[in-house]
Amino acid sequence: MKIIVLVKEVPDTYGDRKLNLETGLADREASEAVIDEIGERALELALTHADANDGTEITVLSLAPEGATARIRKGLAMGAGSAIHVSDEALRGADLGLTAETLAAAIRRVEFDLVITGNVSTDGSGGMIPAMLAELLDVPLATGLSSVAISDGAVSGTRRVESGVQKVSANLPAVISITEALPGPRFPNFKGIMAAKKKPLEMLTLADLGITADNPDAARSIMLTVAEKPPRAAGVKIIDEGDAGEKLADFLVENRLA
Amino acid sequence: MTEFPSDAILVVVETGASGELEKAAPGLFGAAAAVGTPIALVLASPGAGSAAAAEAAALGARRVLIAETPDPSVLGVPSVDALAAAVEQVQPDAILISQSLNGRDLAGRYAARSRAAVSVDAVGVSRDDEGVVAHHSVYGGAYDVTSTSTFGAPVITVRQGSIEARATAQPQDSETLTVPPSGKRAARIDSFDEAVVATSRPELRGAAKVVAGGRGLGSEEQFALVGQLADALGAAVGASRAAVDAGYIPTAHQVGQTGVSVSPQLYVALGISGAIQHRAGMQTAKMIVAINKDGDAPIFEVADFGVVGDVFKVVPQLISALEARKK
C-alpha cells in the first residue's frame, strides 16, 4: 500500500506569530518554523499501519518555502520512506485553490492508495485542502476522522458532526483527514535521523508539475487589507479576601452576563 | 421560474438528525441580509425539506431552494452537486457556508470543481464597490484581515457563533431544486449515532457563554466544579489542553489553537494559566473572567475581571451568589 501524508510548515504556536503588514504574508523570521503537529499525527497513523503491514510505502509531501527541507526531513527521520518538497517562488502567498491544484498534481505523479492529512492547520485554520484534493483527484473523501482503520482496499473511521457521530468508509484510493483524537507522533530516534539522510527527497517546482500560478481561468482569493489588532488590555484584578465570588457575581449581573 | 435578485447571497444550510437546520443557520442568514438578498439552499435529509424550508424563511431567506439527499448514505458529494446546480440558477454575489466539518468539505470540493475562490473562517462579511468582502480574525485574533475573490462570487465559510446579526423573517417561497448527479466518488455513511443530549448545556462551538477549566482543577472529580458554574450561567464547558492531557475531560472540550476557537459573550477561565496557545482560541471573547491562584498567570493579561484566589473557594461562593440574585 502506498500512503501519502501531507505535512505543513507553520509558525510555532508557542512563539509570537506575526503577519507582515505590507505583504499580508506570514513573517517567517518572527517565529520558529515547525511541522504542524496534526500533520505529524497523520504521519504517525501511516507509520503505525506500516509497522503492522509489510510492504507499506509512506511518502511525506509538503508545499513549503525552500528552507523547509530540514523540517520535512523530520518526517523521514520518524520513518517515512521518501519525501516530496514542492517549492516555487510563484507559490509565495498561494491561496487554497492554487495550493490544492499544486498538491494534487504532485500526488498524481506518484501512485497512491491513501492520502492522509490533518483536519486543520494551526496557521490558516481553513481545513479545506483535503476536500479540494478529493475533488481534483476524483476519489472519496472522509474528513475529521477521530478513529481510523485501514484495510486492503478500504479505509473506515468515525466522524463527529454537529448532530452526532457517523461511521464512514471508503474504497481506496481515498483522501482522509484526522483529528487530534488520534495518537501523538513518535520521536525520531538516532537511527531514524541517520537513516533519513540517505532517504530520497525530491524537490519539485511548478514547472515540473505543469502548473501556472497565474492561470486566468481560476478565480483566486486575495487579501485586501491586513491590520494588527491592538493587544487586549487587562481589566480589573482583585485578590480574593473572602468575598471575590460575591464581587464577581455583581460584575456579571451588572454586565448582564448572568 | 422567476428571476433571482441581482444582489442574491446564496446561504447553504443543512439539516441535522431530527430535520432541524444546523445551529449556524441564523448567523449565516444574518450575515447575508447585511450585504444582499439571502437565498437559501437547504440540504435536507429525505422528507425534511419543506419543514426546513419554512425554518429558513423564518430566519430570513427570501427564497428557498430545497435539495433532499437522494441517498443519505453518500457522504458529501450530493451536497456539492446541489450547490453547483443552485449557483447556476441563482448567480449569487457570494456563497455563505458554515465553517463546520461538512461545510468545509462542501466549500472545498465546490471551489475546486468550479475554480471559485474561497475565503475561509470568516467572522463577518461586508460589501464594497467590487463585491462581497470576507473579514477574518487570524492568528488567534491578533490580526484583522479582509479578503475577496479576483473575479466571480467568493465562497465564504463563516466561523460558527461569530455572527450576532439576525435577518428579518420572510414569507415562505420555496421550490425543489433539480440536481444533476456528478457521479464523483464518495465515501459512505455506514451508520449514525445521534448525539445523546445528556445535559442541557449548550455546545462549546458557537456558545454565547463558556466556562473553561485548566490544570488548576487538580483532578477529574474536581473538574465537576466547571460544569456546576457552567450550569449556573447557562454556559458551555471548555478546557485547556493541560486539563485534556491530564484526562480531566475529553478532547472535544479543548479550547485553543489546536482545539475549538470560541468567541463568546463571556469566557470564564478557571485554574487556566493562559498559555499563548489557549489564548489564541478564546481572546476574541467579548468579556473574559479569570480565576487563578497564581497572580502572575498570563491569563490575567487578557482578563477584564481577574480574581487571584482559590477556585474551590471563589467558585462555590459565586454559584450561590448567582443563585441568590436569581431569586
Side-chain angles (χ1 to χ4, degrees), chain A residues 62-130:
Chain A
S62 193
L63 186 161
E66 213 168 326
T69 308
R71 253 79 61 199
I72 296 166
R73 217 171 266 285
K74 185 185 174 189
L76 297 177
M78 282 173 65
S82 62
I84 302 169
H85 179 185
V86 183
S87 187
D88 198 303
E89 218 19 55
L91 287 170
R92 191 178 285 273
D95 74 343
L96 287 167
L98 178 57
T99 303
E101 277 171 47
T102 307
L103 289 170
I107 292 168
R108 270 192 216 106
R109 286 176 84 247
V110 288
E111 281 176 31
F112 73 97
D113 296 297
L114 183 62
V115 175
I116 310 177
T117 80
N119 56 347
V120 283
S121 65
T122 52
D123 56 349
S125 66
M128 229 167 261
I129 292 292

Side-chain angles (χ1 to χ4, degrees), chain B residues 29-117:
Chain B
F29 288 109
V35 294
T37 305
I39 306 295
L41 168 61
V42 169
L43 305 169
S45 35
S50 71
E55 205 185 331
L59 291 173
R62 185 76 61 84
R63 282 172 67 181
V64 182
L65 299 173
I66 302 168
E68 288 187 2
T69 322
D71 178 358
S73 72
V74 181
L75 180 61
V77 168
S79 301
V80 188
D81 298 345
L83 176 54
V87 171
E88 187 126 318
Q89 280 197 25
V90 178
Q91 297 291 320
D93 285 349
I95 299 153
L96 300 189
I97 305 172
S98 168
Q99 173 77 3
S100 62
L101 185 58
N102 286 340
R104 274 155 30 203
D105 286 359
L106 172 59
R109 267 190 178 264
Y110 173 74
R113 188 184 293 187
S114 65
R115 317 209 83 175

Side-chain angles (χ1 to χ4, degrees), chain B residues 1-315:
Chain B
M1 190 183 67
T2 48
E3 290 273 300
F4 284 88
S6 62
D7 68 343
I9 305 294
L10 186 61
V11 175
V12 188
V13 284
E14 62 170 10
T15 59
S18 331
E20 78 293 352
L21 286 184
E22 60 184 302
K23 293 193 186 78
L28 290 172
F29 288 109
V35 294
T37 305
I39 306 295
L41 168 61
V42 169
L43 305 169
S45 35
S50 71
E55 205 185 331
L59 291 173
R62 185 76 61 84
R63 282 172 67 181
V64 182
L65 299 173
I66 302 168
E68 288 187 2
T69 322
D71 178 358
S73 72
V74 181
L75 180 61
V77 168
S79 301
V80 188
D81 298 345
L83 176 54
V87 171
E88 187 126 318
Q89 280 197 25
V90 178
Q91 297 291 320
D93 285 349
I95 299 153
L96 300 189
I97 305 172
S98 168
Q99 173 77 3
S100 62
L101 185 58
N102 286 340
R104 274 155 30 203
D105 286 359
L106 172 59
R109 267 190 178 264
Y110 173 74
R113 188 184 293 187
S114 65
R115 317 209 83 175
V118 271
S119 289
V120 295
D121 199 22
V123 294
V125 291
S126 64
R127 189 185 268 276
D128 69 9
D129 300 341
E130 314 261 327
V132 177
V133 174
H135 296 246
H136 313 264
S137 175
V138 306
Y139 282 177
Y143 293 87
D144 289 325
V145 169
T146 59
S147 75
T148 192
S149 174
T150 47
F151 61 86
V155 179
I156 301 171
T157 56
V158 179
R159 185 183 294 179
Q160 289 142 296
S162 65
I163 309 281
E164 282 174 55
R166 296 293 180 262
T168 318
Q170 301 291 325
Q172 190 180 342
D173 178 1
S174 58
E175 63 204 87
T176 301
L177 180 71
T178 308
V179 180
S182 64
K184 286 269 183 181
R185 295 185 181 92
R188 297 172 299 276
I189 303 171
D190 299 320
S191 66
F192 179 74
D193 285 328
E194 198 172 340
V196 188
V197 186
T199 94
S200 52
R201 277 177 208 151
E203 203 182 331
L204 179 57
R205 203 181 290 275
K209 294 176 192 174
V210 175
V211 178
R215 179 92 91 180
L217 272 301
S219 71
E220 188 182 350
E221 293 70 37
Q222 296 186 121
F223 199 89
L225 186 65
V226 177
Q228 289 161 17
L229 179 57
D231 291 342
L233 289 166
V237 170
S240 70
R241 183 168 186 164
V244 170
D245 286 349
Y248 301 168
I249 187 159
T251 318
H253 293 271
Q254 185 174 318
V255 172
Q257 182 63 61
T258 51
V260 178
S261 277
V262 294
S263 296
Q265 302 298 309
L266 172 67
Y267 190 89
V268 183
L270 305 178
I272 291 177
S273 65
I276 191 163
Q277 290 178 307
H278 184 76
R279 300 206 314 258
M282 48 66 79
Q283 65 188 358
T284 53
K286 297 277 182 316
M287 185 76 79
I288 297 173
V289 169
I291 306 174
N292 199 303
K293 62 174 189 268
D294 175 9
D296 295 325
I299 191 75
F300 288 121
E301 291 164 22
V302 296
D304 299 286
F305 194 101
V307 176
V308 182
D310 182 351
V311 289
F312 299 106
K313 293 195 177 122
V314 179
V315 175

Side-chain angles (χ1 to χ4, degrees), chain A residues 13 17 122 135 138 143 159 163 165 167 169 220 222 224-225 227 229 232 235-238 240 242 245 250, chain B residues 102 105 109 113 142 144 146 148 150 185 188 190-191 193 195 257 277 283 285 295 303-304 306 308 317 325:
Chain A
T13 54
R17 298 177 298 168
T122 52
E135 185 71 21
D138 191 10
T143 50
R159 182 173 185 270
S163 54
V165 178
K167 283 205 168 63
S169 61
R220 298 293 180 206
I222 47 167
L224 298 174
T225 60
K229 227 185 245 177
R232 200 182 172 106
V236 219
K237 183 161 85 174
I238 62 166
D240 182 27
D250 288 338
Chain B
N102 286 340
D105 286 359
R109 267 190 178 264
R113 188 184 293 187
D144 289 325
T146 59
T148 192
T150 47
R185 295 185 181 92
R188 297 172 299 276
D190 299 320
S191 66
D193 285 328
Q257 182 63 61
Q277 290 178 307
Q283 65 188 358
D304 299 286
V308 182
Q317 188 182 59
R325 280 164 179 73

